[in-house]
Structures are given as C-alpha cells and as structure tokens.
Amino acid sequence: VARKMAECAVENYKEIPEAFSLAENDGGGHCECPNCRALDVEEWQPGKPALADRLAVLANRVKETIGDRAPGMVLGYYGYHQGELPSVKTKLAPGIILGDVHNSYDLFYHQKEARAYQLRILKGWREKCAQVYLITYFHGMTWWSLPFSATDALTELIKTAAQYPSSEGIYVGMTYRHDAFGTQGNEYYLAAALMWDPRRSTEAILAEYYEAAYGPAAAPIKEYFERIGKSYGAWAGTQAKVAADECHDDSWVVPTYEPISRRCDELIQKAAAAAGDGDAALQRRVKIVADGWEWTKLQTDTI
C-alpha cells in the first residue's frame, strides 16, 4: 500500500507539486489483518481500534518511499474518525502535516466529558507532531444557519490551538451558507479576528463588531445574540446527546428559541427603532438580523 501511495503521489506531483493527501476514507471498514492490528495501540470506541499509529506508519513509509522524487511536496492526512486519537508509538516524519478535526465543538463545549476528550486530542497531536492544523465544522456537518453565539467555545478552540508552536493554522467552517451574516456575523467576525491575532480579548472583539456594524442598535442586537447563546448552552449542557456522526438533528431548535422568543421579538423591535434615523447601510444590516429572526421563528413553528 505504501509503495502504491508513493507512486500516486509522485504522479500527482507533476500537476500539483505542493501537497498530496493520505487521508483515510470516511465510514470505516479498515483492514483488520494481524499485521495492521499489531500497529493499533488502544480502542477508539468499544470494538473499534484506534488507527492513529498505523496511519502514521503508513505516512512515514510513503514519505520514505517517495525519497527525492518530489522535492518540496508536503504529505498530509486527517486525524479524525478512527484516527482521531493522537498516535502513541509513532512520530510523523518532517514534511507530513496532520489536520486534527473538531466538529460540533459548539455542542461539546457544554458537556464536561466530551469537551475534555476534544481538548485531549487537540493538545495531544500538537505535543506529538511538528506540524498540525485545526479543522472544524464548528456547528457540525449539517447546520441550519440559524442565529447563534457560541463565542466562548469558538474562543477556546482557537486560543488553545494557538498556544502550541506546532499549530500551522486553522480552518473554520461555520456554516454551509457563507452569506449568513444576519444569523452568524458575530461568529464570523470573532473567528477572523482571533485567527489574525489570538492574543486579543474576545470581549473587545465583539464590542468592536457590534458597535461598528450596528451603531445605535448595538445594545439590543448584542443582547439578542447573547440570549440565544445562553439558551442553547442550557440545552446542550443538560439535554443534548452527542451524535456519533457529528450531525445536528432538529432536537435543539425548539428548546433554544421558543423560551426566548418573546424577548427576542422585543429586542429586534428595539434594534429596528434605534436604526430608524440611521443611514441606509445601518438599516440594511439591522434588517438582515431581523430577517434571520423571522426565518428562525418559521423553522421553530414548523418543527
């Protein structure tokens, strides 16, 4: 397998000399022959082996087999699924980058054991590898683009990764609707600002965002998002179940928005009134938030 992968990488180098992926396939179904199983150190889940060491052995062998036939090319793969736990016996050779995946961290943050497990993985890879970059579909793989404010969780993820010299960078996939400014603009802004300078204060960044975007309507818009964040956190910490496939069902929608619906209506009305004498751009930004809230109420009522 290592020889075949090395040949593919060398061939690929002719067209894409920068990098080549050795990532495992989604869905499991990996080899369980004695030779492969001998590389596995512990269980990932009951009955399923952790594959981190066998994947690291494969990557190192591919790198060695390529030799000097693809100078400057970086190899990479994901530390996720059955390969998410940090390797125990094997260190990656120079020139191999590990992408550790932390999806649905907005949910894990509110659950003590799940949060500790995710942080163990994040810190462990950075202590074992010379080059690691963080990948997160922060709200999971199937997101509704509803209004959100998981800013504490987002801060923890980015600032923790930034503590390690081995961190190469971060990819934050916030939603599949990349124009969802009215429902997640606060998180977009925070993620961008922290990735640019993780030393900055989250409170200062958010204050900057609300004031710059909403001016006289900043206070009600800020309270609106904060109430949503607290309501979701209360559900996530007491009622949520961690899904193995990292996908969001609709179980969180009604418990998050229905209890605060009346107050959110009031806050949106206050924001619109405050923007009434402002310029057209300000009024437009407030209307986008208001439209996001109408979308949220439609979804909640439908469920």
Side-chain angles (χ1 to χ4, degrees):
V1 174
R3 286 194 298 271
K4 296 289 284 187
M5 291 295 284
E7 294 303 321
C8 289
V10 171
E11 187 65 25
N12 190 75
Y13 180 76
K14 299 174 183 177
E15 296 185 9
I16 307 175
E18 292 86 6
F20 184 76
S21 172
L22 302 174
E24 62 170 303
N25 291 336
D26 287 340
H30 300 282
C31 181
E32 295 191 22
C33 77
N35 287 338
C36 286
R37 287 294 284 117
L39 297 170
D40 303 330
V41 176
E42 59 182 315
E43 285 191 321
W44 172 64
Q45 291 179 1
K48 292 184 178 181
L51 306 184
D53 277 272
R54 74 161 77 175
L55 294 172
V57 167
L58 174 64
N60 287 344
R61 288 180 182 173
V62 172
K63 181 73 174 175
E64 181 181 4
T65 305
I66 291 171
D68 59 1
R69 292 183 290 168
M73 183 178 68
V74 171
L75 299 178
Y77 68 93
Y78 296 139
Y80 83 137
H81 200 245
Q82 284 183 251
E84 70 179 359
L85 295 176
S87 57
V88 176
K89 299 182 293 186
T90 313
K91 288 189 176 182
L92 291 175
I96 302 174
I97 296 181
L98 188 287
D100 64 324
V101 181
H102 298 270
N103 295 336
S104 299
Y105 199 74
D106 66 330
L107 176 61
F108 298 143
Y109 179 82
H110 297 285
Q111 301 191 354
K112 185 177 180 180
E113 291 185 5
R115 180 180 180 183
Y117 179 77
Q118 291 293 317
L119 289 175
R120 170 194 165 196
I121 294 170
L122 187 149
K123 295 175 181 179
W125 276 119
R126 282 159 182 75
E127 291 165 353
K128 290 278 182 124
C129 300
Q131 295 174 283
V132 187
Y133 73 97
L134 186 148
I135 307 164
T136 175
Y137 283 96
F138 182 65
H139 294 302
M141 297 302 293
T142 50
W143 182 236
W144 293 53
S145 298
L146 296 173
F148 226 72
S149 187
T151 52
D152 288 345
L154 189 59
T155 297
E156 179 170 87
L157 203 57
I158 295 174
K159 283 183 177 274
T160 302
Q163 294 172 10
Y164 292 86
S166 54
S167 285
E168 292 284 317
I170 299 175
Y171 170 81
V172 177
M174 199 69 74
T175 176
Y176 285 121
R177 288 290 300 176
H178 297 293
D179 56 355
F181 174 83
T183 57
Q184 291 174 267
N186 53 341
E187 294 182 330
Y188 292 165
Y189 193 88
L190 177 64
L194 284 179
M195 286 191 284
W196 185 262
D197 184 358
R199 298 167 298 179
R200 289 193 65 190
S201 157
T202 293
E203 291 75 15
I205 293 169
L206 290 173
E208 177 182 274
Y209 166 74
Y210 288 119
E211 180 59 34
Y214 304 109
I221 297 283
K222 179 175 182 286
E223 183 183 339
Y224 164 78
F225 279 108
E226 287 179 346
R227 281 184 176 268
I228 290 170
K230 289 179 181 177
S231 185
Y232 175 81
W235 171 84
T238 59
Q239 302 177 50
K241 295 180 180 179
V242 177
D245 61 0
E246 300 173 333
C247 295
H248 267 292
D249 59 18
D250 63 16
S251 62
W252 64 279
V253 177
V254 173
T256 295
Y257 300 108
E258 193 171 65
I260 59 173
S261 181
R262 181 176 297 181
R263 180 56 181 164
C264 286
D265 280 338
E266 294 172 353
L267 292 168
I268 292 297
Q269 291 169 11
K270 285 185 178 181
D277 296 329
D279 60 27
L282 169 61
Q283 293 174 3
R284 174 61 179 155
R285 287 193 289 273
V286 171
K287 185 179 185 302
I288 292 173
V289 176
D291 289 346
W293 178 237
E294 287 301 311
W295 153 252
T296 303
K297 289 194 290 185
L298 285 170
Q299 289 289 355
T300 305
D301 291 346
T302 300
I303 294 170

